[in-house]
């Protein structure tokens, strides 16, 4: 106010608690909630690679489309992990990797936001195979239904297709947490086209059956849209 900067010193504000943690880079949070015990549970997409650079170092020619030169199998693949934070002891009690194939853009149903949840939907990497006993991952061509209980599901699009952030759309009258549709965009390099696709996520095995609807868009969105949101009656 009055032309002066307002600065909050987090080290001197008792409302803010700093919890030491092993090194990682956080992309996006999927969700967070408070347990009855008072501990905080956070699901996040993260990378533990100290030299992670978003693939910038792998760009060979800035004038050439990235998908023509980038060797995606050489990049570090982030995982989605669940952190359980104890505010009383100011320590992380547990870190559980929910999926190592997950790459970015975690989403949950709106009605479980800040509430205990089981399912998170993410963009995932395409599995290319194994090398020296280690999985080799390719481009972001898969959609994942991450299950906190371990029963993850995937649907993988074509090798030259890249998908955008998944948007969770509640089914009318649905009662289970996964009673929803997953909307995203798919951009196909070989045809220079983009589509809106819709997948059914309700019940085990539904998502891995693939899109129940695919609609062509008037123009290509590059390697897929980054962020979007759905509101009943409106799309933004």
């Amino acid at each position: 106010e009055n032309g002066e900067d307002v600065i909050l010193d987090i080290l001197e504000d008792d409302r803010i608690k700093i919890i030491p943690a092993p090194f990682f880079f956080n992309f996006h949070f999927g969700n967070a909630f408070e347990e009855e015990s008072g501990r905080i549970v956070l699901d996040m997409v993260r990378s533990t690679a100290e030299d992670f650079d978003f693939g910038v170092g792998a760009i060979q020619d800035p004038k050439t489309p990235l998908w023509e030169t980038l060797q995606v199998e050489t990049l570090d693949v982030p995982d989605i992990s669940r952190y359980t934070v104890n505010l009383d002891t100011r320590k992380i009690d547990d870190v559980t990797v929910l999926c190592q194939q997950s790459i970015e853009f975690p989403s949950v149903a709106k009605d479980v936001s800040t509430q205990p949840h089981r399912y998170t939907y993410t963009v995932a990497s395409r599995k290319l195979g194994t090398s020296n006993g280690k999985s080799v991952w390719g481009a972001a061509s898969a959609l994942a239904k991450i299950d906190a209980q371990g029963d993850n599901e995937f649907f993988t699009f074509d090798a030259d297709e890249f998908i955008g952030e998944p948007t969770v759309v509640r089914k009318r009258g649905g009662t289970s947490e996964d009673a929803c549709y997953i909307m995203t965009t798919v951009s196909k390099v070989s045809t220079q086209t983009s589509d809106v696709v819709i997948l059914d996520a309700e019940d085990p095995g539904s998502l891995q059956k693939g899109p129940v609807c695919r609609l062509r868009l008037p123009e290509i969105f590059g390697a897929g849209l980054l962020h979007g949101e759905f509101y009943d009656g409106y799309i933004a």
Side-chain angles (χ1 to χ4, degrees), residues 8-79:
L8 174 64
D9 188 344
I10 63 173
L11 298 179
E12 297 182 0
D13 193 316
D14 293 336
R15 298 170 301 173
I16 300 175
K17 297 185 178 182
I18 299 176
I19 314 295
F23 173 83
F24 66 88
F25 177 83
N26 167 240
F27 290 80
H28 287 98
F29 290 102
N31 197 19
F33 59 89
E34 183 179 9
E35 294 181 329
E36 291 185 3
S37 64
R39 298 191 306 177
I40 303 298
V41 178
L42 309 99
D43 288 356
M44 68 178 80
V45 175
R46 59 156 200 177
S47 171
T48 56
E50 296 184 4
D51 59 349
F52 185 78
D53 66 351
F54 286 95
V56 173
I59 297 177
Q60 301 178 22
D61 181 2
K63 296 182 179 180
T64 303
L66 190 61
W67 57 74
E68 293 184 5
T69 60
L70 183 62
Q71 301 298 311
V72 292
E73 63 272 13
T74 66
L75 301 179
D76 175 70
V77 177
D79 61 45

Side-chain angles (χ1 to χ4, degrees), residues 104-108 120-124 142-145 163-169 181-185 197 199 207 225-230:
E104 246 296 34
F105 303 141
S107 299
V108 298
T120 305
Y121 305 92
T122 76
V123 174
L143 184 67
K145 178 184 181 182
I163 68 174
E165 179 184 62
T167 298
V168 184
V169 182
Y181 294 104
I182 308 303
M183 294 179 61
T184 188
T185 56
V197 298
L199 297 91
L207 183 133
L225 289 175
L226 293 182
H227 302 298
E229 192 56 90
F230 178 88

Side-chain angles (χ1 to χ4, degrees), residues 141 157-158 160-164 184-189 193-197 199 211 214-217 220-225:
S141 299
F157 292 86
D158 292 343
D160 68 335
E161 293 182 323
F162 298 82
I163 68 174
T184 188
T185 56
V186 177
S187 294
K188 191 173 185 66
V189 175
T193 55
S194 291
D195 299 332
V196 170
V197 298
L199 297 91
R214 186 161 182 160
L215 304 172
R216 180 57 46 85
L217 295 171
I220 189 172
F221 288 134
L225 289 175

